[in-house]
Amino acid sequence: MAATAAMVPIFGQQISSKNDLVPDWTSQEVSTGTTIMAVEYDGGVVIGADSRTTTGAYIANRVTDKLTPIHDRIFCCRSGSAADTQAIADVVTYQLGFHSIELDEPPLVETAANLFKASCYRYREELTAGILVAGWDRRKGGQVYCVPIGGMLVRQPVSVGGSGSTYIYGFMDSNYKPGLNKEQCLELTAAALSLAMERDGSSGGVIRLASISEDGVERRVILGNQLPKFSTH
Amino acid sequence: MEKHYTNSQVKGVSTGTTILAATFDGGVVIGSDSRASIGGEYVSSKTINKVIQVHDRIFCCIAGSLADAQAVTKAAKFHLAFHSVQMETPPLVISAASVLKELCYKNKDELQAGFITAGWDRKKGAQVYVVSLGGMLVRQPITIGGSGSTYIYGYVDAKYKPDMSRDECLQFALNALSLAMGRDNVSGGVANLAVITEEGVEHVVVPGDKLPRFHDE
């Protein structure tokens, strides 16, 4: 349900990446092979992502911000093709802003999620985008919606995505329980992302975290040397 | 129709299984799930045994093509028994692992099987070795393998400690297998475990409904 590992576009690789004369990053699409995570708590959501963007084996950006604001209290976490997700996020930001002005009210998270789904589903053959939509609204509080590749929409209390997510399903299943508070969610997200970044070659850099609640958005960054450490073996 | 590859045959050569082996203070736990499937669509056996005894205190777990794995372990059992008789002493765990490695490396073009070897011997105590697909041999305190293992790398990295007690390690192994079986559709069935120490071998089988349960979304 999350984006699968190693987003390799199948359209025309005329120059093989196995050819040492031509580095693979000249022909590979820019991908946010990544790890993203979002957790609901009572009163808001916590979202997190790594910061690596790759073109093949080259890290095009090692301090990427994959947590993109869509509205005041709604964010999205992007994984998959960097171009596709940026384009979709721009479109949804415009649509949601317009809708919010019409309504004269802050928009619902579910609305934002449905807008993502509409674009991802309609253009599913052309796009490679796995997105987590998370935010806070007055009606339902903190919510996390998962829009994986293909354009499904489902609400989940906790969700992970991106190529690195496969490595942390077990950790997430065993460590998440309903009723965590904000600090616990932040710790859980930081630990999970750290574990995934350790194992997934396409994830790395720094951990970007954000917590969204009625009071607003708080962002923080955990640098490489401050990452949670686990017993190495 | 789908642009990305979800089919395990295209994604990689590990096929439906979750196997692991972990050392604890005084011994080693080795275990696996019990599902054999064809292409991820049909479960051909719900109770297959992937934990194979190659000598009194040496077990191995198989991943990859079951046919290849069974053929290799049969040959390895023979070589090891012969070696043991020649040396007039129980074989070392590294010998068992090396026998597997030789077979895998020399026949790497034809075979698609990986192994985890775990056991206890007098020289180095409890050990775990992994022989990967191409025939690399590496010793590790803990190792996981098979398609289901990808989902528990994070859990294992976070939770494993080198000097656990026997019961803690057994619980840890059960938890890990259970989590993997919960996420991987080609792993499942019962959890087959063996605990190997100087004193002997204990088999632990935990049926699916008795596996540890976690928060379900």
Side-chain angles (χ1 to χ4, degrees):
Chain A
M1 134 208 144
T4 52
M7 302 293 160
V8 177
I10 55 175
F11 36 89
Q13 292 187 356
Q14 301 93 335
I15 303 172
S16 164
S17 59
K18 293 198 173 84
N19 182 349
D20 285 336
L21 296 174
V22 182
D24 63 354
W25 46 260
T26 57
S27 55
Q28 293 272 14
E29 189 185 331
V30 176
S31 153
T32 47
T34 185
T35 315
I36 50 178
M37 182 164 167
V39 192
E40 289 175 10
Y41 65 91
D42 183 22
V45 293
V46 163
I47 57 176
D50 73 303
S51 70
R52 182 172 289 184
T53 307
T54 50
T55 41
Y58 174 67
I59 299 173
N61 185 352
R62 62 189 173 108
V63 286
T64 322
D65 186 5
K66 303 179 191 178
L67 306 176
T68 308
I70 304 295
H71 207 267
D72 294 346
R73 300 273 188 288
I74 306 176
F75 269 65
C76 75
C77 309
R78 303 179 289 113
S79 75
S81 154
D84 288 351
T85 54
Q86 283 178 358
I88 299 169
D90 287 347
V91 163
V92 172
T93 306
Y94 161 75
Q95 291 172 333
L96 198 65
F98 193 92
H99 168 73
S100 171
I101 289 172
E102 278 188 317
L103 231 53
D104 202 20
E105 260 184 25
L108 300 176
V109 187
E110 190 173 357
T111 311
N114 277 89
L115 286 170
F116 271 106
K117 181 205 64 186
S119 293
C120 290
Y121 181 68
R122 169 162 294 206
Y123 299 105
R124 58 184 296 169
E125 301 302 322
E126 288 91 345
L127 295 173
T128 309
I131 295 176
L132 297 178
V133 186
W136 181 92
D137 63 44
R138 272 230 328 223
R139 200 182 284 185
K140 292 188 188 168
Q143 299 146 71
V144 170
Y145 293 88
C146 183
V147 183
I149 293 183
M152 173 182 85
L153 171 63
V154 66
R155 180 182 173 186
Q156 292 180 307
V158 57
S159 192
V160 293
S163 57
S165 67
T166 56
Y167 303 108
I168 49 174
Y169 274 109
F171 179 80
M172 194 185 81
D173 285 341
S174 62
N175 282 67
Y176 172 77
K177 30 191 157 326
L180 297 172
N181 65 28
K182 181 173 88 159
E183 279 312 311
Q184 289 170 319
C185 285
L186 284 163
E187 268 173 35
L188 178 69
T189 308
L193 289 173
S194 182
L195 287 163
M197 282 155 61
E198 190 78 6
R199 287 288 181 179
D200 181 29
S202 312
S203 301
V206 306
I207 294 182
R208 294 200 188 275
L209 292 166
S211 69
I212 309 167
S213 65
E214 179 172 13
D215 305 321
V217 177
E218 255 180 62
R219 298 200 60 157
R220 57 184 92 165
V221 179
I222 304 181
L223 300 179
N225 60 343
Q226 298 158 346
L227 290 173
K229 283 194 180 31
F230 298 91
S231 71
T232 44
H233 45 258
Chain B
M1 171 196 111
E2 301 277 66
K3 222 166 102 161
H4 56 287
Y5 303 122
T6 50
N7 191 338
S8 68
Q9 284 145 351
V10 184
K11 185 165 53 167
V13 285
S14 334
T15 36
T17 190
T18 310
I19 53 178
L20 61 74
T23 42
F24 61 90
D25 188 19
V28 59
V29 170
I30 182 168
S32 77
D33 71 308
S34 70
R35 179 174 291 182
S37 64
I38 300 180
E41 285 169 355
Y42 173 68
V43 176
S44 49
S45 171
K46 294 186 273 189
T47 51
I48 196 164
N49 182 24
K50 302 179 198 178
V51 182
I52 303 189
Q53 186 162 23
V54 291
H55 210 267
D56 294 350
R57 297 264 192 292
I58 309 177
F59 279 70
C60 61
C61 265
I62 54 184
S65 151
L66 279 173
D68 286 347
Q70 286 178 347
V72 172
T73 46
K74 199 162 166 192
K77 253 187 182 168
F78 160 73
H79 279 113
L80 209 59
F82 191 81
H83 170 74
S84 173
V85 165
Q86 274 191 317
M87 306 309 281
E88 289 182 22
T89 169
L92 300 175
V93 186
I94 192 169
S95 307
S98 295
V99 167
L100 288 166
K101 180 261 296 178
E102 276 302 293
L103 291 163
C104 289
Y105 181 69
K106 290 268 155 66
N107 301 299
K108 61 157 73 183
D109 294 333
E110 283 90 15
L111 292 174
Q112 252 190 35
F115 301 87
I116 293 179
T117 309
W120 186 94
D121 64 43
R122 279 258 295 259
K123 194 169 171 192
K124 290 194 187 162
Q127 300 145 73
V128 169
Y129 293 89
V130 56
V131 177
S132 63
L133 236 47
M136 174 184 82
L137 172 61
V138 155
R139 182 182 176 188
Q140 291 182 306
I142 176 172
T143 191
I144 54 181
S147 58
S149 68
T150 57
Y151 304 106
I152 50 174
Y153 271 104
Y155 179 78
V156 164
D157 282 345
K159 276 292 189 311
Y160 176 74
K161 306 274 177 295
D163 286 310
M164 292 190 277
S165 73
R166 178 201 172 279
D167 291 333
E168 282 175 332
C169 193
L170 193 55
Q171 189 59 45
F172 159 79
L174 265 174
N175 286 349
L177 282 174
S178 184
L179 288 163
M181 291 197 263
R183 286 288 181 179
D184 185 23
N185 66 328
V186 287
S187 296
V190 311
N192 277 316
L193 294 135
V195 184
I196 310 160
T197 57
E198 178 174 9
E199 283 79 49
V201 176
E202 189 197 333
H203 291 278
V204 177
V205 178
V206 182
D209 58 343
K210 302 274 191 303
L211 286 170
R213 303 182 77 185
F214 299 91
H215 156 76
D216 269 318
E217 292 166 16

